[in-house]
Amino acid sequence: MSTPAASPRPESVAARAVNASKVYGEGEAEVRALDHISVDFASHQFTAIMGPSGSGKSTLLHCLAGLDRVTEGQVFIGDVDISASSEKQLTLIRRDRIGFVFQSFNLIPTLNAAENITLPMALAGRKPDQAWMDSIVATLRIGDRLTHRPSELSGGQQQRVAVARALVSRPDLIFADEPTGNLDSRASAEILNFMRAAVDDLGQTIVMVTHDPSAASYADRVVFLADGTIVDEMLEPSADGVLDRLKQFGG
Amino acid sequence: MFRLTLRGLVAHKLRFLLTGVAVVLGVAFVSGTLVFTDTVKKTFDQLFASVYDGTDAYVRSASVVKGQFGPNQRGRIPETLLPQVRAVSGTAAAEGQIQIRRAQYLDRKGKGIGDPGQGAPTLGFNWNTVRRLNPFALVSYGGKPSRPPKAIREVVMDLGTAKAEHFGIGDTVTVSFDNAKVPKDAFKIVGVAKFGDADRPAGATVALFTLAEAQRVNATPGELDGISVAAKPGVSQTELVGQVTSSLGRRGIQVITGAKLVKEQQNQIQQNLGFFTTFLLIFAIISLFVGSFIIVNTFSIVIAQRTRELALLRALGASGRQVRSSVLGEAVLVGVLASMVGVALGLALAIGLRTVMGAFGFEVPTSDLVVKPSTFVISIVLGVVVTFASALLPARRAARIAPMAALRDSAVESRRLGRRTAIGAIIAVLGAVLLFVGLFGASNIQLVGVGVFGLFIGVAVLGPVIARPVGRALGAPLPRWRGMPGQLARENAVRNPRRTASTAAALMIGVALVGLITIFASSLKASISGQIDQAFRGDLVVVGDAGPGSSFSPAMAERIAKVPGVAVANPLRFGAFEVNGTGQFLLASRPGELNRVFDLAPKLGDLTTLQPNQIAVSKKVFDDKHWKLGQKLRTKFPEQGAAPVTIGAVFGRGQREGLSDYFISLDGFDTRFTQHADSQVYIALDRGASIKEVRPKVEAVAKDFPGAKVNDISGLKAQFETQINQILGLVFALLFLAIFIALLGIMNTLLLSIVERTREIGLLRAVGMTRRQVRTSVRWESIIVAVFGALLGLVLGIFFGWAMVTALHDEGFTQLSIPAGQLVLVVVFAALAGVLAAAYPARRASRFDVLDAISTD
């Protein structure tokens, strides 16, 4: 059932890892978090990365997002080889071309929801497209929360604001690191539906790390990692199918 | 619990380093001051003890006049007493003593050596023929032997001056005096002498003559300052004093033991040093006070950050008391360690102070530093007590942390600002009341100090209430100007008002004092300038380098009067005398010509025809004492003793206007004082004569008199301003320490804050904040805090300045001057200082590893 890691040619590739390795420590203490991984992430697709803890899924996400550097190989965002980029260039790529949703602590406590949403654009000194902003806010149903500080928002609302921030600058792709890890099932489902809708209706590209099979089932494609290598992938996954596959790898 | 305390300290070394530095600097200042003054005192004590080593008794005039500003003035005794003293059975030897008022060597170009105005005295004495009574010892110099002076026009020079100015035995040197008949004279150097072990006494130049020669150049023939007596073996000092007293048996003569003479001199020095010690200690206390804000802040922040840890301890069964003890234990440890380092640094500071004093002309003979046990105890106790007291409040807060806090997310600042406002306002108002009572009612400087202290504390307590609105307002233009980093800077500056306020309060203190001193000095300058404009009618003035203590031969005024274009050259002399037993300052000049150079604002009687047996007094004293014209005043002069004078006139401009409350004619002065030397000469030009043409001619005359300087009105004002600026510079240098400590406080708070905000900074970096933007943000946060502190300080400083100048209105502070430009500069300086303080924290924040930062728990 398994297909090669490199997916069949989509219309375009949003992010790509080529023979990428990440090694921590040296000699006997050497830990190989990523081991010669090559993988493409197609535009306008929702991809989930799964694997047991220590499989390297978070490391892969961090390296793809320009938060960390690979030790060997290359990482591309679009056509740009970010493994060769300077710290400053990486920062600007993160700001202008990538959106982020983290598991927790997504928002700056001193800024209100609206300011948090437009934060990356404000850092770039740009004004958001108001119509686009309005439509995102409406879709995420946070219009009445815009002037509130994060401490006045529920966990689900905070994550929705984070998703709005990730969407507002129309990034090339959005990385989500366990975005529903701290939420109850209802709030989780809401967030995942929004992310699904962002891909389907707004044409966004999302790469999400999760350990939750039901979260992964919202994706178009699931990539399975174990011991720093890609061991399998699945298209159009169902929660049960993902769970079965995970069991095979001892996750 | 104690082990936990110790662990906490070791684990957070850096955190406590900066707290420690605040204590270290304050303690170093205290111990440095104490060590320095103890060392100077001991040096002088030893000096006097050795100078008067052989003196067992001293005979002098009993007539003494209290000085209003300077030391007491004592009369002289007749030389005829000398044989009588020598004839006393217990006397081994006796010799007269004369200190010449001014004996200044001239170098080969005719310029005066030494600078009496800057504290390097130009001393002259008679050569004491009795070996054991003479602190000077002849040495051979340049391969030639020395001998004592034996005839007129012979001098013995101190070794220091001989070396410095390349004079040799056999050379001729010119010495200038303030004697009308002998303005200067040439002398043959017959010997060179050391002063004890030193080349010269404390930076002074010394000229030693025969007794008769000393009397000649001092214009005091037949008179002595005193007689020093050495006892025969087996005769005690007290016995000798008894014998001499009964032998002389005269009124008006005082005989004291050598031991008492030494004690008197030592006390005099101690008194002079006392002022200096107090002055330095005030700044040391200010530094510690500023430091205490930093300590409070550091402990508060650390406890806020450790809330979960402390709550966990509480949940595990530690009592609130144990938590409090743990925090206080930490404070004591920091206090002890920092105080010890401070004392060590204080020793270095004492050496530095000595060097600085040397540079100012107060050469202090080198000797070992005197470190008294009390210096150790005072410094360390002070350091520990300040640290401990500063940690009390944070410790109380720590003890109140509920075990449940372990489960909550992070520290929540309690919001009882209402109570805080009330307490702060009460303290501030109490401080202001004390300040006003001290300034306007009781004239009590201690009350003023406590009031200022109270206002500082009150405003610091009120700080958090206003920190948010003021910080917001200050940062208002930032979002537009600096974008998102600016907005974040503003929000961060006000997110924790208590922290912001106490950080700013430390800076507030230094800035308030700078503001106060600036306004005070500016008002003083304006007032003096105004007084000169009102009182001075002349065109030129000749002043000396020793201020009012300068003395010139009257020949100078006589020669200036003959300069073409000069209408009047009116000399001014100053003297000390007593009125009804109180020391006063007496001004003497020629009454007939006075109104050409001065406007004393005559009120009663005729000032211009004041007789030698009359005195003119200021309206203020005249009214205060309810005197009448023609009334006899009970006055006493140093040399003449009690001698009443009659009030002949009353004038308007007295001491309050920078002049004197008592005026006498030159003739009247000369019959009462033997020193007929001029301090200043005021010159009015002929109608139509131009200052430009006459001034060089006057200057040509003044050149012959060392130390004389010719000024016009603006020059006179400039000279006063220079003097004020010099003192101002010293005060600012000392206040700079307080500001420096406050900057350490800002740096400390920022460091702790960015550590607290690690995740936030990580998130910002992840979503695209550049390192430069991070730095910008931290920097502007620092600037807001610094400017907030500076503004608080400025408001208080202006208030203090206004209160002080208003209170001193009757002392001559007629004008309140608030130099806006300089005060704005202070705020700009504070902002720049904020940038400086932020440099390291900003750099650190920008270097956080993004991945580490976002995954920090």
Side-chain angles (χ1 to χ4, degrees):
Chain A
M1 288 295 269
S2 69
T3 46
S7 59
R9 286 197 148 263
E11 49 276 45
S12 70
V13 175
R16 190 152 58 100
V18 181
N19 206 21
S21 295
K22 176 75 186 177
V23 183
Y24 296 103
E26 272 176 48
E28 288 196 9
E30 183 184 290
V31 177
R32 200 162 269 271
L34 295 181
D35 196 359
H36 301 285
I37 282 186
S38 293
V39 59
D40 290 359
F41 296 94
S43 296
H44 319 303
Q45 246 196 7
F46 188 171
T47 311
I49 302 175
M50 295 205 72
S53 43
S55 62
K57 58 184 190 300
S58 283
T59 306
L60 178 61
L61 183 93
H62 292 149
C63 289
L64 285 169
L67 290 169
D68 203 354
R69 287 172 184 282
V70 291
T71 330
E72 251 179 86
Q74 288 167 299
V75 175
F76 293 89
I77 296 291
D79 299 330
V80 181
D81 180 0
I82 65 167
S83 44
S85 298
S86 71
E87 161 65 33
K88 166 111 186 172
Q89 285 167 330
L90 275 184
T91 304
L92 298 185
I93 287 166
R94 288 200 301 269
R95 187 184 78 190
D96 299 335
R97 304 185 60 174
I98 296 173
F100 286 97
V101 183
F102 296 105
Q103 178 176 3
S104 62
F105 203 83
N106 256 307
L107 307 177
I108 300 300
T110 48
L111 301 179
N112 65 27
E115 287 165 337
N116 264 294
I117 292 171
T118 55
L119 177 63
M121 307 197 75
L123 286 171
R126 285 202 305 266
K127 285 244 175 297
D129 173 346
Q130 196 55 48
W132 176 240
M133 167 101 177
D134 289 346
S135 88
I136 291 169
V137 165
T139 311
L140 288 164
R141 297 204 313 271
I142 48 176
D144 58 340
R145 286 281 174 268
L146 286 180
T147 56
H148 292 236
R149 295 259 170 124
S151 58
E152 299 159 329
L153 300 175
S154 72
Q157 286 168 339
Q158 288 185 26
Q159 287 308 80
R160 277 188 267 159
V161 172
V163 171
R165 180 188 63 207
L167 286 169
V168 79
S169 61
R170 295 188 226 253
D172 292 355
L173 76 168
I174 295 168
F175 288 104
D177 191 356
E178 304 269 16
T180 57
N182 274 7
L183 300 182
D184 60 38
S185 54
R186 224 187 102 210
S188 292
E190 255 179 2
I191 288 291
L192 289 162
N193 277 323
F194 287 131
M195 290 169 68
R196 185 67 250 172
V199 173
D200 293 342
D201 306 340
L202 309 176
Q204 288 294 316
T205 310
I206 298 178
V207 177
M208 171 179 76
V209 162
T210 182
H211 65 270
D212 176 7
S214 62
S217 69
Y218 284 82
D220 297 316
R221 169 188 173 213
V222 181
V223 176
F224 293 92
L225 252 71
D227 299 326
T229 56
I230 291 172
V231 290
D232 197 1
E233 69 166 70
M234 185 187 270
L235 295 173
E236 306 295 333
S238 67
D240 290 340
V242 172
L243 197 57
D244 286 345
R245 196 65 58 90
L246 277 179
K247 279 179 185 154
Q248 285 183 338
F249 308 122
Chain B
M1 275 315 266
F2 179 72
R3 266 179 54 194
L4 205 71
T5 303
L6 209 59
R7 284 250 182 86
L9 213 56
V10 174
H12 308 293
K13 281 186 290 269
L14 186 82
R15 180 184 298 172
F16 285 101
L17 193 70
L18 288 156
T19 317
V21 170
V23 182
V24 165
L25 290 176
V27 169
F29 211 151
V30 172
S31 66
T33 303
L34 292 176
V35 168
F36 175 71
T37 49
D38 285 344
T39 304
V40 172
K41 186 179 168 301
K42 191 183 164 206
T43 310
F44 278 103
D45 282 358
Q46 285 173 345
L47 189 76
F48 289 124
S50 75
V51 165
Y52 299 112
D53 191 25
T55 306
D56 293 310
Y58 190 72
V59 183
R60 65 187 182 189
S61 166
S63 167
V64 61
V65 162
K66 294 181 204 102
Q68 193 186 3
F69 305 113
N72 295 347
Q73 304 282 317
R74 193 175 286 277
R76 273 183 279 275
I77 55 172
E79 194 181 345
T80 49
L81 291 182
L82 193 50
Q84 273 181 271
V85 173
R86 281 183 178 142
V88 169
S89 62
T91 299
E95 180 61 287
Q97 294 282 337
I98 291 177
Q99 175 165 3
I100 300 160
R101 285 181 305 268
R102 177 198 185 103
Q104 188 172 19
Y105 290 114
L106 302 188
D107 65 16
R108 292 197 166 82
K109 287 177 193 145
K111 206 176 152 289
I113 297 167
D115 187 358
Q118 292 294 321
T122 51
L123 304 175
F125 303 99
N126 63 303
W127 175 261
N128 200 313
T129 53
V130 181
R131 183 82 184 84
R132 58 186 277 207
L133 295 176
N134 191 343
F136 292 94
L138 293 169
V139 291
S140 62
Y141 181 64
K144 292 179 189 166
S146 285
R147 68 164 174 83
K150 286 185 182 139
I152 64 164
R153 308 234 155 73
E154 286 185 356
V155 70
V156 166
M157 182 184 268
D158 63 282
L159 181 57
T161 306
K163 277 183 183 167
E165 302 290 333
H166 308 291
F167 281 110
I169 294 171
D171 290 356
T172 300
V173 63
T174 307
V175 186
S176 103
F177 309 100
D178 60 11
N179 181 341
K181 291 183 196 117
V182 195
K184 58 185 169 187
D185 220 338
F187 293 85
K188 186 182 173 206
I189 302 172
V190 296
V192 164
K194 285 180 78 163
F195 180 74
D197 294 331
D199 288 356
R200 54 163 118 179
T205 67
V206 186
L208 299 153
F209 309 93
T210 65
L211 185 61
E213 191 70 342
Q215 288 170 330
R216 180 179 74 93
V217 300
N218 204 35
T220 52
E223 290 186 337
L224 300 173
D225 289 345
I227 298 170
S228 44
V229 193
K232 280 183 180 153
V235 180
S236 79
Q237 292 197 345
T238 325
E239 282 164 5
L240 183 65
V241 166
Q243 290 175 8
V244 173
T245 310
S246 56
S247 154
L248 295 178
R250 278 177 55 169
R251 289 188 56 198
I253 301 291
Q254 188 186 50
V255 187
I256 55 169
T257 61
K260 180 152 187 272
L261 184 64
V262 170
K263 195 80 209 139
E264 271 183 17
Q265 302 276 355
Q266 290 174 345
N267 286 345
Q268 182 65 44
I269 282 287
Q270 190 161 11
Q271 221 172 2
N272 294 350
L273 274 176
F275 171 75
F276 186 67
T277 313
T278 311
F279 181 74
L280 285 181
L281 281 180
I282 285 174
F283 287 97
I285 301 288
I286 291 171
S287 306
L288 272 175
F289 184 49
V290 172
S292 70
F293 279 84
I294 297 175
I295 298 164
V296 171
N297 219 13
T298 309
F299 275 95
S300 299
I301 299 173
V302 168
I303 282 159
Q305 291 177 356
R306 279 173 56 194
T307 300
R308 283 181 138 188
E309 180 193 330
L310 293 173
L312 185 64
L313 280 175
R314 296 277 280 120
L316 295 177
S319 68
R321 197 199 171 106
Q322 279 173 315
V323 169
R324 190 174 59 222
S325 310
S326 157
V327 173
L328 290 178
E330 222 165 75
V332 169
L333 269 175
V334 170
V336 169
L337 286 175
S339 300
M340 275 166 21
V341 177
V343 169
L345 195 67
L347 294 181
L349 202 69
I351 296 170
L353 265 175
R354 194 156 63 180
T355 317
V356 170
M357 296 295 281
F360 274 97
F362 297 97
E363 215 170 282
V364 179
T366 354
S367 64
D368 293 336
L369 290 179
V370 178
V371 188
K372 287 191 195 164
S374 66
T375 300
F376 264 110
V377 174
I378 290 171
S379 305
I380 291 188
V381 165
L382 205 60
V384 174
V385 165
V386 166
T387 319
F388 185 82
S390 306
L392 273 177
L393 223 65
R396 218 171 68 118
R397 224 173 282 152
R400 288 231 193 103
I401 292 172
M404 275 304 289
L407 308 174
R408 281 203 296 270
D409 196 21
S410 64
V412 188
E413 193 172 332
S414 67
R415 297 196 185 279
R416 283 183 306 173
L417 288 181
R419 212 178 94 184
R420 180 173 266 273
T421 313
I423 294 173
I426 288 170
I427 298 175
V429 167
L430 271 178
V433 167
L434 284 178
L435 178 74
F436 278 116
V437 171
L439 279 177
F440 296 97
S443 290
N444 182 333
I445 191 74
Q446 267 103 4
L447 265 177
V448 174
V450 173
V452 167
F453 189 76
L455 263 168
F456 278 142
I457 302 240
V459 173
V461 172
L462 279 173
V465 182
I466 55 171
R468 194 161 272 174
V470 174
R472 279 253 162 75
L474 284 176
L478 276 182
R480 202 176 316 157
W481 195 24
R482 281 287 178 269
M484 183 45 73
Q487 182 176 355
L488 288 169
R490 186 182 67 164
E491 296 305 328
N492 286 332
V494 300
R495 79 195 282 183
N496 204 326
R498 202 180 266 174
R499 192 180 293 180
T500 300
S502 59
T503 308
L507 187 62
M508 162 189 85
I509 296 165
V511 170
L513 295 173
V514 167
L516 162 67
I517 303 291
T518 307
I519 291 169
F520 183 78
S522 175
S523 300
L524 183 61
K525 284 178 198 168
S527 301
I528 288 178
S529 173
Q531 284 159 6
I532 290 175
D533 283 339
Q534 285 177 355
F536 187 47
R537 276 187 184 164
D539 300 297
L540 291 171
V541 57
V542 185
V543 294
D545 49 15
S550 310
S551 54
F552 300 109
S553 161
M556 182 167 77
E558 283 162 27
R559 281 178 56 191
I560 292 172
K562 288 179 192 141
V563 169
V566 170
V568 170
N570 204 353
L572 228 61
R573 292 179 192 170
F574 302 118
F577 78 130
E578 278 181 22
V579 180
N580 293 331
T582 319
Q584 299 292 351
F585 190 62
L586 181 64
L587 188 107
S589 192
R590 287 200 196 100
E593 295 172 341
L594 191 68
N595 57 8
R596 286 298 307 274
V597 290
F598 272 119
D599 180 9
L600 286 188
K603 298 284 182 204
L604 294 171
D606 188 357
L607 203 58
T608 55
T609 59
L610 201 67
Q611 297 305 303
N613 63 343
Q614 287 183 322
I615 193 165
V617 301
S618 76
K619 182 97 170 58
K620 183 173 186 293
V621 179
F622 187 79
D623 288 346
D624 285 356
K625 310 266 182 188
H626 306 292
W627 286 337
K628 290 184 183 66
L629 211 58
Q631 181 181 340
K632 268 195 163 46
L633 284 187
R634 215 158 51 78
T635 50
K636 187 177 160 196
F637 298 89
E639 289 143 323
Q640 206 183 22
V645 290
T646 311
I647 299 177
V650 178
F651 56 90
R653 297 215 166 89
Q655 191 172 314
R656 185 173 53 171
E657 283 77 24
L659 298 164
S660 167
D661 285 332
Y662 299 92
F663 177 80
I664 197 168
S665 73
L666 217 51
D667 295 337
F669 185 89
D670 287 356
T671 59
R672 291 176 175 84
F673 293 87
T674 49
Q675 178 189 11
H676 302 167
D678 301 336
S679 289
Q680 293 165 0
V681 178
Y682 283 80
I683 300 161
L685 302 188
D686 287 329
R687 200 176 293 268
S690 92
I691 293 183
K692 232 182 190 168
E693 280 170 34
V694 181
R695 185 172 174 166
K697 294 176 195 156
V698 174
E699 277 170 345
V701 175
K703 236 183 78 177
D704 287 346
F705 299 87
K709 191 171 179 303
V710 181
N711 264 327
D712 54 13
I713 295 188
S714 61
L716 197 63
K717 288 180 187 170
Q719 200 178 6
F720 277 114
E721 290 196 356
T722 311
Q723 283 168 9
I724 294 168
N725 286 342
Q726 272 172 1
I727 299 169
L728 209 60
L730 180 67
V731 173
F732 282 167
L734 291 168
L735 281 179
F736 185 75
L737 184 74
I739 291 178
F740 177 72
I741 293 177
L743 290 185
L744 285 182
I746 295 181
M747 183 169 144
N748 197 14
T749 305
L750 280 177
L751 270 178
L752 292 167
S753 296
I754 60 157
V755 168
E756 202 173 78
R757 300 204 290 256
T758 301
R759 282 190 82 171
E760 205 174 309
I761 294 165
L763 175 65
L764 285 166
R765 296 274 292 120
V767 301
M769 194 178 209
T770 62
R771 282 182 172 167
R772 180 195 291 266
Q773 285 175 319
V774 173
R775 284 196 296 270
T776 303
S777 184
V778 175
R779 204 178 297 131
W780 280 102
E781 179 183 349
S782 175
I783 291 173
I784 291 176
V785 174
V787 170
F788 175 55
L791 284 180
L792 279 183
L794 216 53
V795 170
L796 276 179
I798 291 174
F799 174 70
F800 293 154
W802 165 79
M804 194 155 170
V805 170
T806 310
L808 290 175
H809 186 267
D810 280 355
E811 309 296 325
F813 278 78
T814 47
Q815 296 185 29
L816 173 68
S817 160
I818 297 174
Q822 286 178 41
L823 296 181
V824 168
L825 216 63
V826 170
V827 177
V828 172
F829 174 75
L832 289 177
V835 174
L836 209 68
Y840 177 66
R843 207 179 115 87
R844 246 187 98 166
S846 75
R847 292 290 163 103
F848 281 158
D849 184 274
V850 182
L851 213 55
D852 283 352
I854 51 176
S855 48
T856 301
D857 192 22

